[in-house]
Structure formats: structure tokens, C-alpha cells
Amino acid sequence: MHLTDPQVRTKSSRMYPCDPVEVGGVINLDFDEQGRLIGIEVLAANSKLPEYLLKSSEHLDAGDA
């Protein structure tokens, strides 16, 4: 999930992995150089997110991210 303008390519400068035990899976938070949250990566999203959200999202291959 990108939280920036899709027309502007924002580079992630830091990734914070959330505790997999605490959140019940692997979730990574991406931050830009100013420390602003710019993206959320949910691994195995189909087992963590509601179906309506998955259907309405744009799916990227690992090489596209």
C-alpha cells in the first residue's frame, strides 16, 4: 500500500519490520528520508486483509515494488 502521490516516485530510505508475533504476520512500514510513512507492505495479504480490500487494490509483482 503506497501512501504517496502515484505520479511522484518516492524513495524509501528506511524499512521498519513489525513484530510478526504481535501483528500475527509480517508487516513492513516504509519511511522516506524525512521519516514520513510512505508505504505499508503486508506479506501474505490474502490471509490478513478483508476480501473487499484485496479486490479493490492494484496488485504488483515482487519485481514491480
Side-chain angles (χ1 to χ4, degrees):
M1 182 180 328
H2 297 276
L3 304 174
T4 58
D5 182 344
Q7 302 300 320
V8 178
R9 186 136 175 106
T10 305
K11 185 176 179 180
S12 174
S13 68
R14 187 171 69 89
M15 186 269 298
Y16 175 79
C18 296
D19 181 354
V21 174
E22 189 75 24
V23 297
V26 178
I27 298 174
N28 296 323
L29 304 177
D30 294 320
F31 296 89
D32 68 7
E33 292 177 348
Q34 286 77 40
R36 295 177 294 211
L37 180 63
I38 59 169
I40 302 170
E41 179 182 20
V42 181
L43 302 180
N46 58 344
S47 68
K48 303 294 174 204
L49 299 176
E51 187 175 341
Y52 78 89
L53 185 58
L54 294 169
K55 285 183 177 181
S56 67
S57 66
E58 177 184 349
H59 297 264
L60 301 174
D61 292 328
D64 294 341

